[in-house]
PDB file of all heavy atoms in Angstrom:
ATOM      1  N   SER A 393     124.734  93.049 104.119  1.00 80.00           N
ATOM      2  CA  SER A 393     124.172  91.699 104.171  1.00 80.00           C
ATOM      3  C   SER A 393     124.742  90.893 105.331  1.00 80.00           C
ATOM      4  O   SER A 393     124.006  90.203 106.039  1.00 80.00           O
ATOM      5  CB  SER A 393     124.451  90.961 102.853  1.00 80.00           C
ATOM      6  OG  SER A 393     123.805  91.616 101.793  1.00 80.00           O
ATOM      7  N   LEU A 394     126.044  90.995 105.534  1.00 83.00           N
ATOM      8  CA  LEU A 394     126.676  90.285 106.650  1.00 83.00           C
ATOM      9  C   LEU A 394     126.176  90.810 107.986  1.00 83.00           C
ATOM     10  O   LEU A 394     125.930  90.038 108.913  1.00 83.00           O
ATOM     11  CB  LEU A 394     128.201  90.401 106.571  1.00 83.00           C
ATOM     12  CG  LEU A 394     128.859  89.628 105.432  1.00 83.00           C
ATOM     13  CD1 LEU A 394     130.331  90.030 105.300  1.00 83.00           C
ATOM     14  CD2 LEU A 394     128.733  88.138 105.659  1.00 83.00           C
ATOM     15  N   ALA A 395     126.016  92.119 108.090  1.00 85.00           N
ATOM     16  CA  ALA A 395     125.542  92.712 109.342  1.00 85.00           C
ATOM     17  C   ALA A 395     124.123  92.251 109.660  1.00 85.00           C
ATOM     18  O   ALA A 395     123.816  91.915 110.804  1.00 85.00           O
ATOM     19  CB  ALA A 395     125.603  94.234 109.268  1.00 85.00           C
ATOM     20  N   VAL A 396     123.257  92.204 108.662  1.00 80.00           N
ATOM     21  CA  VAL A 396     121.896  91.717 108.872  1.00 80.00           C
ATOM     22  C   VAL A 396     121.940  90.256 109.310  1.00 80.00           C
ATOM     23  O   VAL A 396     121.236  89.851 110.234  1.00 80.00           O
ATOM     24  CB  VAL A 396     121.036  91.872 107.598  1.00 80.00           C
ATOM     25  CG1 VAL A 396     119.747  91.077 107.695  1.00 80.00           C
ATOM     26  CG2 VAL A 396     120.716  93.324 107.361  1.00 80.00           C
ATOM     27  N   GLY A 397     122.784  89.476 108.682  1.00 78.00           N
ATOM     28  CA  GLY A 397     122.923  88.068 109.031  1.00 78.00           C
ATOM     29  C   GLY A 397     123.411  87.852 110.454  1.00 78.00           C
ATOM     30  O   GLY A 397     123.139  86.812 111.059  1.00 78.00           O
ATOM     31  N   ARG A 398     124.111  88.834 111.002  1.00 82.00           N
ATOM     32  CA  ARG A 398     124.612  88.743 112.379  1.00 82.00           C
ATOM     33  C   ARG A 398     123.623  89.340 113.377  1.00 82.00           C
ATOM     34  O   ARG A 398     123.897  89.420 114.556  1.00 82.00           O
ATOM     35  CB  ARG A 398     125.953  89.461 112.506  1.00 82.00           C
ATOM     36  CG  ARG A 398     127.039  88.952 111.591  1.00 82.00           C
ATOM     37  CD  ARG A 398     127.832  87.837 112.150  1.00 82.00           C
ATOM     38  NE  ARG A 398     128.381  88.225 113.449  1.00 82.00           N
ATOM     39  CZ  ARG A 398     128.648  87.338 114.398  1.00 82.00           C
ATOM     40  NH1 ARG A 398     128.421  86.084 114.206  1.00 82.00           N
ATOM     41  NH2 ARG A 398     129.137  87.728 115.543  1.00 82.00           N
ATOM     42  N   GLY A 399     122.472  89.794 112.882  1.00 81.00           N
ATOM     43  CA  GLY A 399     121.429  90.280 113.768  1.00 81.00           C
ATOM     44  C   GLY A 399     121.318  91.789 113.886  1.00 81.00           C
ATOM     45  O   GLY A 399     120.493  92.282 114.647  1.00 81.00           O
ATOM     46  N   ALA A 400     122.104  92.541 113.145  1.00 85.00           N
ATOM     47  CA  ALA A 400     121.991  94.003 113.192  1.00 85.00           C
ATOM     48  C   ALA A 400     120.699  94.422 112.500  1.00 85.00           C
ATOM     49  O   ALA A 400     120.310  93.852 111.484  1.00 85.00           O
ATOM     50  CB  ALA A 400     123.185  94.658 112.503  1.00 85.00           C
ATOM     51  N   SER A 401     120.042  95.414 113.053  1.00 85.00           N
ATOM     52  CA  SER A 401     118.799  95.900 112.459  1.00 85.00           C
ATOM     53  C   SER A 401     119.118  96.834 111.288  1.00 85.00           C
ATOM     54  O   SER A 401     120.212  97.409 111.215  1.00 85.00           O
ATOM     55  CB  SER A 401     117.969  96.644 113.495  1.00 85.00           C
ATOM     56  OG  SER A 401     118.621  97.848 113.874  1.00 85.00           O
ATOM     57  N   LEU A 402     118.156  97.000 110.395  1.00 85.00           N
ATOM     58  CA  LEU A 402     118.364  97.914 109.271  1.00 85.00           C
ATOM     59  C   LEU A 402     118.578  99.355 109.743  1.00 85.00           C
ATOM     60  O   LEU A 402     119.420 100.055 109.170  1.00 85.00           O
ATOM     61  CB  LEU A 402     117.208  97.825 108.279  1.00 85.00           C
ATOM     62  CG  LEU A 402     117.146  96.512 107.493  1.00 85.00           C
ATOM     63  CD1 LEU A 402     115.969  96.527 106.529  1.00 85.00           C
ATOM     64  CD2 LEU A 402     118.430  96.247 106.743  1.00 85.00           C
ATOM     65  N   PRO A 403     117.875  99.829 110.798  1.00 89.00           N
ATOM     66  CA  PRO A 403     118.193 101.184 111.276  1.00 89.00           C
ATOM     67  C   PRO A 403     119.640 101.322 111.758  1.00 89.00           C
ATOM     68  O   PRO A 403     120.285 102.339 111.523  1.00 89.00           O
ATOM     69  CB  PRO A 403     117.201 101.401 112.426  1.00 89.00           C
ATOM     70  CG  PRO A 403     116.038 100.534 112.070  1.00 89.00           C
ATOM     71  CD  PRO A 403     116.653  99.318 111.428  1.00 89.00           C
ATOM     72  N   MET A 404     120.170 100.273 112.415  1.00 90.00           N
ATOM     73  CA  MET A 404     121.580 100.308 112.851  1.00 90.00           C
ATOM     74  C   MET A 404     122.506 100.405 111.647  1.00 90.00           C
ATOM     75  O   MET A 404     123.446 101.203 111.627  1.00 90.00           O
ATOM     76  CB  MET A 404     121.945  99.033 113.609  1.00 90.00           C
ATOM     77  CG  MET A 404     121.485  98.951 115.008  1.00 90.00           C
ATOM     78  SD  MET A 404     122.163  97.386 115.633  1.00 90.00           S
ATOM     79  CE  MET A 404     121.079  97.107 116.989  1.00 90.00           C
ATOM     80  N   ILE A 405     122.250  99.568 110.661  1.00 88.00           N
ATOM     81  CA  ILE A 405     123.103  99.542 109.469  1.00 88.00           C
ATOM     82  C   ILE A 405     123.004 100.870 108.728  1.00 88.00           C
ATOM     83  O   ILE A 405     124.000 101.412 108.261  1.00 88.00           O
ATOM     84  CB  ILE A 405     122.729  98.357 108.560  1.00 88.00           C
ATOM     85  CG1 ILE A 405     122.993  97.042 109.295  1.00 88.00           C
ATOM     86  CG2 ILE A 405     123.497  98.410 107.246  1.00 88.00           C
ATOM     87  CD1 ILE A 405     122.357  95.843 108.652  1.00 88.00           C
ATOM     88  N   GLY A 406     121.796 101.401 108.642  1.00 90.00           N
ATOM     89  CA  GLY A 406     121.604 102.698 107.990  1.00 90.00           C
ATOM     90  C   GLY A 406     122.414 103.789 108.664  1.00 90.00           C
ATOM     91  O   GLY A 406     123.004 104.645 108.002  1.00 90.00           O
ATOM     92  N   LYS A 407     122.473 103.741 109.987  1.00 92.00           N
ATOM     93  CA  LYS A 407     123.263 104.732 110.721  1.00 92.00           C
ATOM     94  C   LYS A 407     124.747 104.565 110.405  1.00 92.00           C
ATOM     95  O   LYS A 407     125.465 105.545 110.206  1.00 92.00           O
ATOM     96  CB  LYS A 407     123.015 104.576 112.215  1.00 92.00           C
ATOM     97  CG  LYS A 407     123.072 105.856 112.977  1.00 92.00           C
ATOM     98  CD  LYS A 407     122.402 105.641 114.316  1.00 92.00           C
ATOM     99  CE  LYS A 407     122.272 106.818 115.162  1.00 92.00           C
ATOM    100  NZ  LYS A 407     121.651 107.975 114.854  1.00 92.00           N
ATOM    101  N   LEU A 408     125.207 103.312 110.338  1.00 90.00           N
ATOM    102  CA  LEU A 408     126.602 103.056 109.983  1.00 90.00           C
ATOM    103  C   LEU A 408     126.940 103.587 108.597  1.00 90.00           C
ATOM    104  O   LEU A 408     128.028 104.111 108.364  1.00 90.00           O
ATOM    105  CB  LEU A 408     126.904 101.552 110.028  1.00 90.00           C
ATOM    106  CG  LEU A 408     126.957 100.903 111.402  1.00 90.00           C
ATOM    107  CD1 LEU A 408     127.029  99.379 111.249  1.00 90.00           C
ATOM    108  CD2 LEU A 408     128.148 101.410 112.185  1.00 90.00           C
ATOM    109  N   PHE A 409     125.989 103.435 107.675  1.00 90.00           N
ATOM    110  CA  PHE A 409     126.214 103.873 106.300  1.00 90.00           C
ATOM    111  C   PHE A 409     125.945 105.366 106.100  1.00 90.00           C
ATOM    112  O   PHE A 409     126.234 105.909 105.046  1.00 90.00           O
ATOM    113  CB  PHE A 409     125.308 103.095 105.340  1.00 90.00           C
ATOM    114  CG  PHE A 409     125.744 101.673 105.085  1.00 90.00           C
ATOM    115  CD1 PHE A 409     124.864 100.783 104.496  1.00 90.00           C
ATOM    116  CD2 PHE A 409     126.998 101.212 105.415  1.00 90.00           C
ATOM    117  CE1 PHE A 409     125.237  99.475 104.239  1.00 90.00           C
ATOM    118  CE2 PHE A 409     127.377  99.905 105.170  1.00 90.00           C
ATOM    119  CZ  PHE A 409     126.496  99.040 104.575  1.00 90.00           C
ATOM    120  N   GLY A 410     125.333 105.999 107.103  1.00 92.00           N
ATOM    121  CA  GLY A 410     125.009 107.415 106.952  1.00 92.00           C
ATOM    122  C   GLY A 410     123.757 107.657 106.128  1.00 92.00           C
ATOM    123  O   GLY A 410     123.575 108.742 105.579  1.00 92.00           O
ATOM    124  N   HIS A 411     122.879 106.665 106.061  1.00 89.00           N
ATOM    125  CA  HIS A 411     121.635 106.816 105.310  1.00 89.00           C
ATOM    126  C   HIS A 411     120.597 107.559 106.147  1.00 89.00           C
ATOM    127  O   HIS A 411     120.494 107.339 107.348  1.00 89.00           O
ATOM    128  CB  HIS A 411     121.051 105.449 104.932  1.00 89.00           C
ATOM    129  CG  HIS A 411     121.899 104.687 103.983  1.00 89.00           C
ATOM    130  ND1 HIS A 411     121.784 103.333 103.819  1.00 89.00           N
ATOM    131  CD2 HIS A 411     122.879 105.070 103.131  1.00 89.00           C
ATOM    132  CE1 HIS A 411     122.649 102.920 102.909  1.00 89.00           C
ATOM    133  NE2 HIS A 411     123.328 103.959 102.484  1.00 89.00           N
ATOM    134  N   SER A 412     119.816 108.389 105.496  1.00 91.00           N
ATOM    135  CA  SER A 412     118.739 109.084 106.201  1.00 91.00           C
ATOM    136  C   SER A 412     117.385 108.431 105.919  1.00 91.00           C
ATOM    137  O   SER A 412     116.410 108.739 106.586  1.00 91.00           O
ATOM    138  CB  SER A 412     118.700 110.561 105.794  1.00 91.00           C
ATOM    139  OG  SER A 412     118.489 110.670 104.400  1.00 91.00           O
ATOM    140  N   GLN A 413     117.330 107.524 104.931  1.00 88.00           N
ATOM    141  CA  GLN A 413     116.062 106.883 104.581  1.00 88.00           C
ATOM    142  C   GLN A 413     116.185 105.369 104.668  1.00 88.00           C
ATOM    143  O   GLN A 413     117.161 104.778 104.205  1.00 88.00           O
ATOM    144  CB  GLN A 413     115.632 107.283 103.171  1.00 88.00           C
ATOM    145  CG  GLN A 413     115.317 108.750 103.061  1.00 88.00           C
ATOM    146  CD  GLN A 413     114.786 109.094 101.687  1.00 88.00           C
ATOM    147  OE1 GLN A 413     114.902 108.314 100.748  1.00 88.00           O
ATOM    148  NE2 GLN A 413     114.197 110.265 101.566  1.00 88.00           N
ATOM    149  N   TRP A 414     115.164 104.761 105.242  1.00 79.00           N
ATOM    150  CA  TRP A 414     115.076 103.316 105.413  1.00 79.00           C
ATOM    151  C   TRP A 414     115.189 102.575 104.069  1.00 79.00           C
ATOM    152  O   TRP A 414     115.850 101.557 103.959  1.00 79.00           O
ATOM    153  CB  TRP A 414     113.746 103.033 106.099  1.00 79.00           C
ATOM    154  CG  TRP A 414     113.150 101.706 105.949  1.00 79.00           C
ATOM    155  CD1 TRP A 414     112.276 101.311 104.978  1.00 79.00           C
ATOM    156  CD2 TRP A 414     113.325 100.575 106.789  1.00 79.00           C
ATOM    157  NE1 TRP A 414     111.901 100.012 105.169  1.00 79.00           N
ATOM    158  CE2 TRP A 414     112.539  99.542 106.288  1.00 79.00           C
ATOM    159  CE3 TRP A 414     114.087 100.344 107.923  1.00 79.00           C
ATOM    160  CZ2 TRP A 414     112.501  98.288 106.870  1.00 79.00           C
ATOM    161  CZ3 TRP A 414     114.024  99.093 108.500  1.00 79.00           C
ATOM    162  CH2 TRP A 414     113.244  98.094 107.981  1.00 79.00           C
ATOM    163  N   SER A 415     114.548 103.099 103.039  1.00 83.00           N
ATOM    164  CA  SER A 415     114.521 102.416 101.745  1.00 83.00           C
ATOM    165  C   SER A 415     115.922 102.296 101.135  1.00 83.00           C
ATOM    166  O   SER A 415     116.210 101.338 100.425  1.00 83.00           O
ATOM    167  CB  SER A 415     113.589 103.123 100.776  1.00 83.00           C
ATOM    168  OG  SER A 415     113.999 104.467 100.582  1.00 83.00           O
ATOM    169  N   THR A 416     116.784 103.240 101.418  1.00 83.00           N
ATOM    170  CA  THR A 416     118.154 103.175 100.905  1.00 83.00           C
ATOM    171  C   THR A 416     118.892 102.000 101.539  1.00 83.00           C
ATOM    172  O   THR A 416     119.553 101.223 100.845  1.00 83.00           O
ATOM    173  CB  THR A 416     118.904 104.484 101.197  1.00 83.00           C
ATOM    174  OG1 THR A 416     118.165 105.568 100.637  1.00 83.00           O
ATOM    175  CG2 THR A 416     120.304 104.466 100.622  1.00 83.00           C
ATOM    176  N   THR A 417     118.762 101.852 102.840  1.00 83.00           N
ATOM    177  CA  THR A 417     119.445 100.774 103.551  1.00 83.00           C
ATOM    178  C   THR A 417     118.925  99.414 103.120  1.00 83.00           C
ATOM    179  O   THR A 417     119.699  98.462 102.994  1.00 83.00           O
ATOM    180  CB  THR A 417     119.281 100.935 105.073  1.00 83.00           C
ATOM    181  OG1 THR A 417     119.695 102.257 105.432  1.00 83.00           O
ATOM    182  CG2 THR A 417     120.128  99.933 105.835  1.00 83.00           C
ATOM    183  N   GLN A 418     117.629  99.302 102.863  1.00 79.00           N
ATOM    184  CA  GLN A 418     117.049  98.024 102.446  1.00 79.00           C
ATOM    185  C   GLN A 418     117.742  97.472 101.208  1.00 79.00           C
ATOM    186  O   GLN A 418     117.919  96.275 101.084  1.00 79.00           O
ATOM    187  CB  GLN A 418     115.558  98.183 102.153  1.00 79.00           C
ATOM    188  CG  GLN A 418     114.701  98.114 103.371  1.00 79.00           C
ATOM    189  CD  GLN A 418     113.242  98.130 102.998  1.00 79.00           C
ATOM    190  OE1 GLN A 418     112.764  99.046 102.348  1.00 79.00           O
ATOM    191  NE2 GLN A 418     112.539  97.101 103.408  1.00 79.00           N
ATOM    192  N   ARG A 419     118.144  98.338 100.299  1.00 75.00           N
ATOM    193  CA  ARG A 419     118.796  97.876  99.068  1.00 75.00           C
ATOM    194  C   ARG A 419     120.169  97.274  99.342  1.00 75.00           C
ATOM    195  O   ARG A 419     120.682  96.501  98.541  1.00 75.00           O
ATOM    196  CB  ARG A 419     118.911  99.028  98.076  1.00 75.00           C
ATOM    197  CG  ARG A 419     117.572  99.475  97.532  1.00 75.00           C
ATOM    198  CD  ARG A 419     117.752 100.385  96.345  1.00 75.00           C
ATOM    199  NE  ARG A 419     118.478 101.589  96.684  1.00 75.00           N
ATOM    200  CZ  ARG A 419     117.939 102.786  96.833  1.00 75.00           C
ATOM    201  NH1 ARG A 419     116.647 102.941  96.677  1.00 75.00           N
ATOM    202  NH2 ARG A 419     118.680 103.815  97.120  1.00 75.00           N
ATOM    203  N   TYR A 420     120.778  97.631 100.460  1.00 66.00           N
ATOM    204  CA  TYR A 420     122.097  97.115 100.793  1.00 66.00           C
ATOM    205  C   TYR A 420     122.059  95.813 101.570  1.00 66.00           C
ATOM    206  O   TYR A 420     123.058  95.137 101.669  1.00 66.00           O
ATOM    207  CB  TYR A 420     122.871  98.142 101.636  1.00 66.00           C
ATOM    208  CG  TYR A 420     123.453  99.260 100.828  1.00 66.00           C
ATOM    209  CD1 TYR A 420     122.707 100.385 100.550  1.00 66.00           C
ATOM    210  CD2 TYR A 420     124.742  99.177 100.339  1.00 66.00           C
ATOM    211  CE1 TYR A 420     123.239 101.423  99.806  1.00 66.00           C
ATOM    212  CE2 TYR A 420     125.283 100.207  99.597  1.00 66.00           C
ATOM    213  CZ  TYR A 420     124.524 101.326  99.333  1.00 66.00           C
ATOM    214  OH  TYR A 420     125.055 102.340  98.599  1.00 66.00           O
ATOM    215  N   ALA A 421     120.962  95.493 102.171  1.00 62.00           N
ATOM    216  CA  ALA A 421     120.915  94.400 103.126  1.00 62.00           C
ATOM    217  C   ALA A 421     120.188  93.187 102.555  1.00 62.00           C
ATOM    218  O   ALA A 421     119.047  92.925 102.886  1.00 62.00           O
ATOM    219  CB  ALA A 421     120.252  94.876 104.413  1.00 62.00           C
ATOM    220  N   HIS A 422     120.825  92.474 101.704  1.00 63.00           N
ATOM    221  CA  HIS A 422     120.256  91.269 101.113  1.00 63.00           C
ATOM    222  C   HIS A 422     120.447  90.102 102.075  1.00 63.00           C
ATOM    223  O   HIS A 422     121.538  89.891 102.573  1.00 63.00           O
ATOM    224  CB  HIS A 422     120.950  90.935  99.789  1.00 63.00           C
ATOM    225  CG  HIS A 422     120.994  92.085  98.858  1.00 63.00           C
ATOM    226  ND1 HIS A 422     119.883  92.532  98.189  1.00 63.00           N
ATOM    227  CD2 HIS A 422     122.000  92.901  98.505  1.00 63.00           C
ATOM    228  CE1 HIS A 422     120.220  93.572  97.450  1.00 63.00           C
ATOM    229  NE2 HIS A 422     121.498  93.818  97.621  1.00 63.00           N
ATOM    230  N   LEU A 423     119.386  89.380 102.313  1.00 61.00           N
ATOM    231  CA  LEU A 423     119.486  88.220 103.190  1.00 61.00           C
ATOM    232  C   LEU A 423     119.813  86.985 102.370  1.00 61.00           C
ATOM    233  O   LEU A 423     119.154  86.688 101.386  1.00 61.00           O
ATOM    234  CB  LEU A 423     118.171  88.000 103.933  1.00 61.00           C
ATOM    235  CG  LEU A 423     117.831  89.061 104.963  1.00 61.00           C
ATOM    236  CD1 LEU A 423     116.426  88.836 105.481  1.00 61.00           C
ATOM    237  CD2 LEU A 423     118.817  89.033 106.102  1.00 61.00           C
ATOM    238  N   ALA A 424     120.823  86.281 102.798  1.00 62.00           N
ATOM    239  CA  ALA A 424     121.187  85.033 102.128  1.00 62.00           C
ATOM    240  C   ALA A 424     120.140  83.968 102.457  1.00 62.00           C
ATOM    241  O   ALA A 424     119.572  83.958 103.546  1.00 62.00           O
ATOM    242  CB  ALA A 424     122.567  84.586 102.583  1.00 62.00           C
ATOM    243  N   ASP A 425     119.892  83.078 101.524  1.00 66.00           N
ATOM    244  CA  ASP A 425     118.895  82.021 101.716  1.00 66.00           C
ATOM    245  C   ASP A 425     119.184  81.168 102.945  1.00 66.00           C
ATOM    246  O   ASP A 425     118.273  80.784 103.664  1.00 66.00           O
ATOM    247  CB  ASP A 425     118.816  81.121 100.485  1.00 66.00           C
ATOM    248  CG  ASP A 425     118.137  81.807  99.304  1.00 66.00           C
ATOM    249  OD1 ASP A 425     117.415  82.799  99.523  1.00 66.00           O
ATOM    250  OD2 ASP A 425     118.340  81.345  98.177  1.00 66.00           O
ATOM    251  N   ASP A 426     120.458  80.881 103.220  1.00 71.00           N
ATOM    252  CA  ASP A 426     120.776  80.038 104.371  1.00 71.00           C
ATOM    253  C   ASP A 426     120.424  80.727 105.686  1.00 71.00           C
ATOM    254  O   ASP A 426     120.004  80.083 106.642  1.00 71.00           O
ATOM    255  CB  ASP A 426     122.236  79.586 104.360  1.00 71.00           C
ATOM    256  CG  ASP A 426     123.226  80.734 104.374  1.00 71.00           C
ATOM    257  OD1 ASP A 426     122.940  81.788 103.795  1.00 71.00           O
ATOM    258  OD2 ASP A 426     124.312  80.560 104.954  1.00 71.00           O
ATOM    259  N   ILE A 427     120.541  82.044 105.729  1.00 73.00           N
ATOM    260  CA  ILE A 427     120.168  82.785 106.935  1.00 73.00           C
ATOM    261  C   ILE A 427     118.653  82.725 107.118  1.00 73.00           C
ATOM    262  O   ILE A 427     118.163  82.497 108.233  1.00 73.00           O
ATOM    263  CB  ILE A 427     120.653  84.244 106.860  1.00 73.00           C
ATOM    264  CG1 ILE A 427     122.181  84.282 106.856  1.00 73.00           C
ATOM    265  CG2 ILE A 427     120.084  85.081 108.005  1.00 73.00           C
ATOM    266  CD1 ILE A 427     122.760  85.629 106.486  1.00 73.00           C
ATOM    267  N   LEU A 428     117.912  82.906 106.036  1.00 75.00           N
ATOM    268  CA  LEU A 428     116.453  82.821 106.120  1.00 75.00           C
ATOM    269  C   LEU A 428     116.009  81.436 106.565  1.00 75.00           C
ATOM    270  O   LEU A 428     115.111  81.294 107.404  1.00 75.00           O
ATOM    271  CB  LEU A 428     115.818  83.160 104.765  1.00 75.00           C
ATOM    272  CG  LEU A 428     115.965  84.604 104.307  1.00 75.00           C
ATOM    273  CD1 LEU A 428     115.443  84.757 102.882  1.00 75.00           C
ATOM    274  CD2 LEU A 428     115.227  85.540 105.245  1.00 75.00           C
ATOM    275  N   ARG A 429     116.658  80.399 106.037  1.00 81.00           N
ATOM    276  CA  ARG A 429     116.319  79.026 106.437  1.00 81.00           C
ATOM    277  C   ARG A 429     116.603  78.804 107.918  1.00 81.00           C
ATOM    278  O   ARG A 429     115.806  78.197 108.625  1.00 81.00           O
ATOM    279  CB  ARG A 429     117.110  78.011 105.607  1.00 81.00           C
ATOM    280  CG  ARG A 429     116.338  77.531 104.400  1.00 81.00           C
ATOM    281  CD  ARG A 429     117.051  76.365 103.716  1.00 81.00           C
ATOM    282  NE  ARG A 429     117.368  76.796 102.367  1.00 81.00           N
ATOM    283  CZ  ARG A 429     118.544  77.219 101.926  1.00 81.00           C
ATOM    284  NH1 ARG A 429     119.589  77.208 102.693  1.00 81.00           N
ATOM    285  NH2 ARG A 429     118.703  77.608 100.699  1.00 81.00           N
ATOM    286  N   ARG A 430     117.739  79.301 108.387  1.00 83.00           N
ATOM    287  CA  ARG A 430     118.095  79.127 109.789  1.00 83.00           C
ATOM    288  C   ARG A 430     117.077  79.811 110.696  1.00 83.00           C
ATOM    289  O   ARG A 430     116.610  79.232 111.678  1.00 83.00           O
ATOM    290  CB  ARG A 430     119.488  79.687 110.063  1.00 83.00           C
ATOM    291  CG  ARG A 430     119.974  79.352 111.483  1.00 83.00           C
ATOM    292  CD  ARG A 430     121.232  80.090 111.873  1.00 83.00           C
ATOM    293  NE  ARG A 430     120.825  81.439 112.257  1.00 83.00           N
ATOM    294  CZ  ARG A 430     121.463  82.547 111.918  1.00 83.00           C
ATOM    295  NH1 ARG A 430     122.542  82.497 111.178  1.00 83.00           N
ATOM    296  NH2 ARG A 430     121.038  83.721 112.300  1.00 83.00           N
ATOM    297  N   ILE A 431     116.701  81.043 110.371  1.00 84.00           N
ATOM    298  CA  ILE A 431     115.718  81.768 111.173  1.00 84.00           C
ATOM    299  C   ILE A 431     114.379  81.039 111.140  1.00 84.00           C
ATOM    300  O   ILE A 431     113.716  80.888 112.169  1.00 84.00           O
ATOM    301  CB  ILE A 431     115.573  83.219 110.679  1.00 84.00           C
ATOM    302  CG1 ILE A 431     116.851  83.994 110.988  1.00 84.00           C
ATOM    303  CG2 ILE A 431     114.354  83.898 111.310  1.00 84.00           C
ATOM    304  CD1 ILE A 431     116.924  85.345 110.313  1.00 84.00           C
ATOM    305  N   ASN A 432     113.984  80.561 109.980  1.00 88.00           N
ATOM    306  CA  ASN A 432     112.729  79.818 109.855  1.00 88.00           C
ATOM    307  C   ASN A 432     112.762  78.564 110.723  1.00 88.00           C
ATOM    308  O   ASN A 432     111.818  78.284 111.471  1.00 88.00           O
ATOM    309  CB  ASN A 432     112.488  79.454 108.390  1.00 88.00           C
ATOM    310  CG  ASN A 432     111.191  78.733 108.192  1.00 88.00           C
ATOM    311  OD1 ASN A 432     110.123  79.275 108.463  1.00 88.00           O
ATOM    312  ND2 ASN A 432     111.270  77.491 107.735  1.00 88.00           N
ATOM    313  N   ASP A 433     113.841  77.800 110.649  1.00 92.00           N
ATOM    314  CA  ASP A 433     113.960  76.561 111.420  1.00 92.00           C
ATOM    315  C   ASP A 433     113.980  76.840 112.923  1.00 92.00           C
ATOM    316  O   ASP A 433     113.296  76.164 113.690  1.00 92.00           O
ATOM    317  CB  ASP A 433     115.224  75.789 111.018  1.00 92.00           C
ATOM    318  CG  ASP A 433     115.144  75.239 109.608  1.00 92.00           C
ATOM    319  OD1 ASP A 433     114.042  75.201 109.025  1.00 92.00           O
ATOM    320  OD2 ASP A 433     116.214  74.850 109.080  1.00 92.00           O
ATOM    321  N   GLU A 434     114.772  77.840 113.336  1.00 92.00           N
ATOM    322  CA  GLU A 434     114.859  78.151 114.762  1.00 92.00           C
ATOM    323  C   GLU A 434     113.514  78.636 115.305  1.00 92.00           C
ATOM    324  O   GLU A 434     113.108  78.255 116.404  1.00 92.00           O
ATOM    325  CB  GLU A 434     115.934  79.212 115.013  1.00 92.00           C
ATOM    326  CG  GLU A 434     117.346  78.685 114.833  1.00 92.00           C
ATOM    327  CD  GLU A 434     118.404  79.782 114.925  1.00 92.00           C
ATOM    328  OE1 GLU A 434     118.041  80.970 115.135  1.00 92.00           O
ATOM    329  OE2 GLU A 434     119.588  79.451 114.772  1.00 92.00           O
ATOM    330  N   THR A 435     112.823  79.462 114.547  1.00 93.00           N
ATOM    331  CA  THR A 435     111.520  79.964 114.985  1.00 93.00           C
ATOM    332  C   THR A 435     110.508  78.837 115.052  1.00 93.00           C
ATOM    333  O   THR A 435     109.741  78.734 116.017  1.00 93.00           O
ATOM    334  CB  THR A 435     111.032  81.086 114.047  1.00 93.00           C
ATOM    335  OG1 THR A 435     112.026  82.113 114.003  1.00 93.00           O
ATOM    336  CG2 THR A 435     109.712  81.664 114.507  1.00 93.00           C
ATOM    337  N   GLY A 436     110.511  77.969 114.062  1.00 93.00           N
ATOM    338  CA  GLY A 436     109.610  76.817 114.073  1.00 93.00           C
ATOM    339  C   GLY A 436     109.887  75.886 115.240  1.00 93.00           C
ATOM    340  O   GLY A 436     108.951  75.404 115.896  1.00 93.00           O
TER     341      GLY A 436
END
């Protein structure tokens, strides 16, 4: 979750964790609401 919040992609994180499937990594990378709000505000 912290890595995603710092801008790391799920494929990068999956490689760090040794995952071979995208769906496995997705379960580890929860986005905090404040990060989603920040991205929404910056994009807007």
